[in-house]
């Protein structure tokens, strides 16, 4: 069994991959909704201000942004770095370009299949005016 000290309250708890004990995790969940509301009402507040006003560590706010649970507006001037190319982004882990690249790599094996499907569509529409694969 892996036990650790909670990073927030110092209590010992069963470690399950989170650095906070269950009580503090729950508290953070409640904080999350507070922070989200706060950002909604104060779209131009900077990360340090958000952290201070809501009594949440900046690291925690960044974590929420990485998880795409929080999104800052452009007015806030807040951005985090794309984990792949370092470009500033507003939410998530990667910028649009890197996300697309990752997606293309992932779906590359399907592209040949997709091309074949298009051919079928063309031939079929010439003959019977019916589209295959349009379901
Ligand atoms: Zn705790
Ligand atoms: Zn990138």
């Amino acid at each position: 069994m892996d036990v650790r000290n909670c990073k927030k309250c110092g209590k010992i708890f069963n470690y399950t991959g989170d650095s906070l004990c269950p009580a503090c995790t729950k508290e953070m969940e409640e904080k999350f909704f507070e922070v989200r509301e706060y950002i909604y009402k104060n779209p131009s507040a900077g990360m340090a201000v958000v952290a201070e006003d809501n009594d949440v560590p900046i690291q925690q706010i960044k974590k929420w942004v990485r998880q795409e649970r929080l999104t800052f507006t452009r007015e806030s001037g807040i951005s985090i770095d794309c984990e792949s190319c370092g470009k500033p982004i507003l939410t998530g882990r990667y910028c649009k370009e890197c996300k697309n690249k990752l997606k293309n790599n992932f779906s590359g094996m399907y592209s040949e299949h997709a091309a074949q499907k298009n051919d079928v569509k063309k031939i079929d529409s010439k003959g019977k005016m019916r589209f295959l694969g349009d379901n």
Side-chain angles (χ1 to χ4, degrees):
M1 197 166 67
D2 193 3
V3 288
R4 300 216 178 171
N5 285 90
C6 170
K7 268 197 181 160
K8 198 162 175 285
C9 69
K11 242 168 60 182
I12 290 172
F13 69 105
N14 286 341
Y15 182 70
T16 54
D18 217 325
S19 53
L20 298 180
C21 73
C24 289
T25 302
K26 195 169 164 266
E27 202 182 300
M28 271 300 164
E29 267 319 282
E30 280 156 23
K31 276 277 179 214
F32 167 73
F33 291 105
E34 264 176 51
V35 170
R36 199 176 60 172
E37 185 79 12
Y38 180 92
I39 292 167
Y40 181 71
K41 285 180 187 156
N42 306 277
S44 59
M47 185 129 34
V49 177
V50 175
E52 212 188 296
D53 278 2
N54 293 279
D55 195 25
V56 177
I58 286 187
Q59 282 312 317
Q60 182 61 53
I61 294 175
K62 280 188 181 166
K63 206 166 130 188
W64 285 328
V65 176
R66 286 282 187 217
Q67 291 168 342
E68 295 194 33
R69 296 181 71 189
L70 278 186
T71 307
F72 285 99
T73 58
R74 275 184 206 284
E75 302 95 88
S76 69
I78 295 174
S79 65
I80 54 173
D81 300 334
C82 167
E83 282 186 9
S84 175
C85 70
K87 219 171 91 172
I89 51 172
L90 291 174
T91 192
R93 298 176 61 190
Y94 303 106
C95 68
K96 243 187 207 161
E97 286 80 29
C98 290
K99 247 188 199 171
N100 273 340
K101 255 185 252 164
L102 289 168
K103 212 166 71 187
N104 285 344
N105 283 345
F106 183 71
S107 61
M109 57 183 154
Y110 296 112
S111 59
E112 205 183 324
H113 180 74
Q116 278 171 5
K117 207 167 149 188
N118 270 342
D119 281 348
V120 170
K121 203 162 139 179
K122 252 182 255 161
I123 293 162
D124 197 70
S125 63
K126 221 191 271 170
K128 298 179 189 166
M129 300 293 284
R130 194 165 60 91
F131 293 89
L132 282 185
D134 268 0
N135 41 24

